[in-house]
Each structure stands twice: as structure tokens, then as C-alpha cells.
Amino acid sequence: MDLRQLNTFMQVAELGSLSRASDRLRVAQPALSRQIRLLEEELKTPLFTRHGRGMVLTHAGEVLRGRASSILRQIEETRADLITEAAAVRGRVVFGMPPTVGDVLATRLIERFLALYPQVTLRVVPAFSGYLLDWLHSGEVDIAVVYGTEQGANIRFSPLLVENLCFVTATGPDAVPHHAVSFPDVVQHRLVLPGPQHGLRILVEREARQRGLTLDIPVEADALQVLKGLVQRRLGATILPLAAVHAEVQAGLLAAAPIIDPHLSRKLVVAQPLGRQASHAVRRFAEVLRDEVTDMVSSKVWDGQLLSSMPNPL
């Protein structure tokens, strides 16, 4: 059974007539009759006794009316509570993300959040993880996505995602193959990467050092758009998560292949300050953030594995 059938049943039970219920609901009488018939077939019992003056509830119908009345009332109360809650979400949320995450996620997340909570004002702060943690401590940022942090004084970290890294090149004869590429093969290419303080650069250099490999990095660029532009102009290849180049790969401007031997990945966590009560708006923002990342992974925009998170006590 569905809510429409239950509502039709309640209207007919109250009015004792399909024709009067049809007038009230502004639905054709045959359609209402079909809904009642389907409901009776599903429950395998008559709900009404039909006679010339209308329709009278059977014993089974009386039982259903009592239960359906409670069900429909709870649904209406839930709807009203949610509408009230959404309307009550106001204020300001300042959220921080590393540049590579912000370029991938920020616009999609903002669009989704404001569609649900239009009375909230948002501010995006792109910065490296270390700065974001400092600003969380000082209260300048309410919530942040950072890389790889597992502990920190007065900060609560909730696991979000392990994102896989790809080898990214320009399209054309020298484009990367569709299959996976080994890390030793990757570092044989000229690479354009962020500066030494960037988490991605640190990860790549650490892996190269462990294997005794030398990196050829003629150009450093911390801005994602600059990195992608340099690769498109064939000034080097780079290493990025698929989400960062998904649009360009779809458009045929760039090519991307997963990196193996070893499998390169980074862990993303959501950071919030402990000891400071999160506003209603920040709590809703944390929920929408996780929902958007989940959808991006499900739709293959973001190549990674979602990580479960304990309920947020803030």
C-alpha cells in the first residue's frame, strides 16, 4: 500500500461515498475506485460494504481506519517538523578545504546546501590543511575537510574518504593508457606538481625516495587550474585525484589512469573543533557534505572508498 491509497481510503471512509470523495480530492471516481480495489486486493479482505446509499466500512476497514489515521497523522507531523527545521536553519558557516578539494567539491556542495537551506550564508576558505587546523582552533573556520590528519589537540576528526590518485596527461599520441600505470613508470615523465609544502607533493616525494627514484619537476604550481593548463599544453604530466580532472577527461582534454605498484591514495577527514557547540547550520552542513561526497563516489566522479563515521556529538 502507499500513502495515496491510504489517503483515498480515509476520505471514502469519512464521506461514505466515492462520488463525494472524488469531488473533495478532485480525482476521477474510477481512479479512486481502482485505488480502493488495489488496497483490498493487497490486504486480501474487503474494506467496504457497497450498497445503494454509499459505502460502509467492514470490520477490517474499521481496523485499518484506526491504524491509517495514526500513520497519516505521524507523516504530516514529520513533514511539518522538517519544514520548520529547514526554515529555522539560519546563520553563517565558514568551511575550509585544501585547494584541490575545493576546486572539485565546493561549487557542487554549495549548490546542494543552499537548495536545502537558503537562509544560511556560506564562506569558502581554501588553504592547506595545517592552516585550516589553526583556524579551526582560533574559531575562524567552523568545519573543514583536511588530508590525512588522525589526531590533533581539541579537534575531532571524522573519516570521510580515501581518494585514489591518477596519472594525468594530455590527450593524443602520448596519452596515458586506459589501464593502470606503475609508479616507477610515472616518475620517468616530466611532472608538474604543487610546491614542497603541499600534501600531494610530500606523498609523491616520499614514495620516490623509498624506491630510490628521482623526480623531474620543471614547474611547481599550487593552483589546480594552473596544473591542468600546463598538462594540456604538454609541459608535463601530473598526479591528481580523478575528481579534479573528471570534467576534462569527459571532454577529451586530459587522460587519466590509476597508479599502482604502489596504489597511491590519500585519506580525507572532516575536522571540527571540540569544546565549541556547533550551530544548527554547521551540523546540517556536515550532513550535506557527506551526502554530496557519497553521490560523487556513486556516480564515479570521485574515485575512492567512502569511510564510515560515528555520529557527530557536536
Side-chain angles (χ1 to χ4, degrees):
M1 68 182 73
D2 59 34
L3 295 179
R4 184 176 58 178
Q5 290 173 340
L6 286 180
N7 186 55
T8 297
F9 166 79
M10 293 296 292
Q11 296 296 328
V12 175
E14 176 186 342
L15 298 173
S17 165
L18 274 172
S19 62
R20 287 196 289 271
S22 175
D23 291 339
R24 175 181 286 185
L25 296 173
R26 296 186 178 180
V27 176
Q29 187 170 327
L32 297 186
S33 179
R34 182 173 182 275
Q35 289 181 33
I36 296 296
R37 185 175 69 254
L38 290 173
L39 190 56
E40 290 178 324
E41 289 175 356
E42 181 175 352
L43 297 175
K44 297 181 173 57
T45 185
L47 299 174
F48 294 95
T49 300
R50 280 83 168 169
H51 54 74
R53 290 175 297 173
M55 301 173 69
V56 178
L57 287 170
T58 62
H59 175 70
E62 291 285 1
V63 172
L64 180 60
R65 179 165 65 173
R67 302 287 178 85
S69 176
S70 175
I71 292 169
L72 292 173
R73 184 174 63 254
Q74 290 182 50
I75 290 171
E76 285 303 317
E77 289 172 354
T78 301
R79 181 183 291 114
D81 287 346
L82 292 176
I83 291 173
T84 300
E85 180 179 348
V89 180
R90 299 184 179 88
R92 178 178 174 85
V93 176
V94 180
F95 66 100
M97 297 180 179
T100 49
V101 175
D103 286 353
V104 170
L105 179 61
T107 54
R108 296 173 61 119
L109 176 58
I110 290 169
E111 181 179 27
R112 182 175 191 144
F113 184 82
L114 291 182
L116 295 170
Y117 307 110
Q119 297 184 63
V120 177
T121 301
L122 299 175
R123 180 187 172 204
V124 188
V125 180
F128 295 130
S129 294
Y131 292 119
L132 293 175
L133 293 176
D134 288 341
W135 295 335
L136 283 167
H137 278 295
S138 66
E140 295 176 66
V141 170
D142 300 308
I143 182 171
V145 175
V146 297
Y147 276 113
T149 305
E150 296 293 345
Q151 57 185 0
N154 299 317
I155 298 290
R156 180 181 184 273
F157 299 102
S158 302
L160 180 64
L161 175 77
V162 174
E163 67 173 4
N164 302 322
L165 295 176
C166 293
F167 180 49
V168 180
T169 67
T171 53
D174 299 326
V176 356
H178 293 295
H179 56 76
V181 181
S182 71
F183 182 76
D185 287 341
V186 168
V187 300
Q188 290 181 15
H189 294 74
R190 288 160 53 94
L191 297 175
V192 291
L193 292 173
Q197 78 280 17
H198 195 284
L200 176 64
R201 173 72 173 271
I202 293 170
L203 185 154
V204 173
E205 287 190 333
R206 181 173 63 241
E207 188 57 43
R209 187 166 54 251
Q210 290 174 351
R211 290 172 172 259
L213 300 172
T214 301
L215 298 174
D216 179 9
I217 307 173
V219 181
E220 298 175 343
D222 291 342
L224 178 60
Q225 293 302 321
V226 174
L227 282 178
K228 293 192 289 187
L230 292 170
V231 175
Q232 287 185 44
R233 290 178 177 273
R234 303 181 183 280
L235 296 176
T238 193
I239 298 172
L240 288 169
L242 177 61
V245 293
H246 182 266
E248 289 81 4
V249 170
Q250 291 293 100
L253 300 175
L254 293 174
I259 298 172
I260 58 171
D261 188 30
H263 177 83
L264 289 190
S265 63
R266 297 186 296 179
K267 184 177 182 180
L268 283 165
V269 297
V270 179
Q272 292 178 261
L274 288 171
R276 190 168 79 234
Q277 181 68 31
S279 69
H280 194 184
V282 171
R283 293 196 299 272
R284 297 289 80 78
F285 185 86
E287 293 171 359
V288 175
L289 165 63
R290 188 167 291 275
D291 288 344
E292 181 58 38
V293 172
T294 299
D295 285 353
M296 291 177 71
V297 172
S298 298
S299 60
K300 309 298 184 185
V301 172
W302 209 330
D303 181 20
Q305 296 79 46
L306 291 168
L307 301 173
S308 61
S309 174
M310 297 296 291
N312 192 336
L314 299 178

